[in-house]
Amino acid sequence: MHKMRVSLREGTLADAEFIVALLNDPSFINHIGDKQVRTQKQAHQYIKNTFIEPLELGLGSRVITLLDGQPVGMVGLFQRPILDSPDLGFAMLSEHQGKGLMYEAANSFLTLHTQKFSTLYGITSQTNETSYSLLKKLGFTYLSEIQLENKTTKDRLLTLQRKE
């Protein structure tokens, strides 16, 4: 078993600068969308909505950090109105992609934070082969196309069935 290169922690308002950088990373905007978070105040609201408040429901995101504490990404569960179970969402700063760090973080997150859900979903754009491959490596299987409320193109919906 190899040593983890990343760790997960809860997000705090002190992460505002990192969140602005992550949400404005070209890869994030291209594959996930523009969340219109440009200022520290907007980042604080995003952190409250995405990291802090959903924790009470067993949802929400965790900040992915390198072992020196540097934040490099996020991974978490999000409940969409059109799905009956949450979906796994993740994002990483471009300069840290392609090193296997997201697999480590997502696999750890699934092990630690998703036991109460028998079904999980993953959604990725038709053009995001990296995220699609990651979801498949994590054990997700392709289910269908899905039309999200805020997008004009269809995405791929994957599912992970967990043993009781």
Side-chain angles (χ1 to χ4, degrees), residues 44-71:
H44 283 168
Q45 192 58 51
Y46 182 87
I47 291 165
K48 286 178 192 166
N49 294 344
T50 306
F51 289 87
I52 298 171
E53 292 169 4
L55 288 178
E56 297 166 13
L57 305 171
L59 301 171
S61 250
R62 299 297 185 284
V63 173
I64 303 166
T65 65
L66 299 178
L67 296 182
D68 65 4
Q70 176 190 357

Side-chain angles (χ1 to χ4, degrees), residues 79-84 123 146-149:
Q79 185 61 60
R80 296 176 191 263
I82 59 171
L83 296 176
D84 59 2
I123 299 172
I146 187 170
Q147 181 78 46
L148 297 178
E149 60 280 352

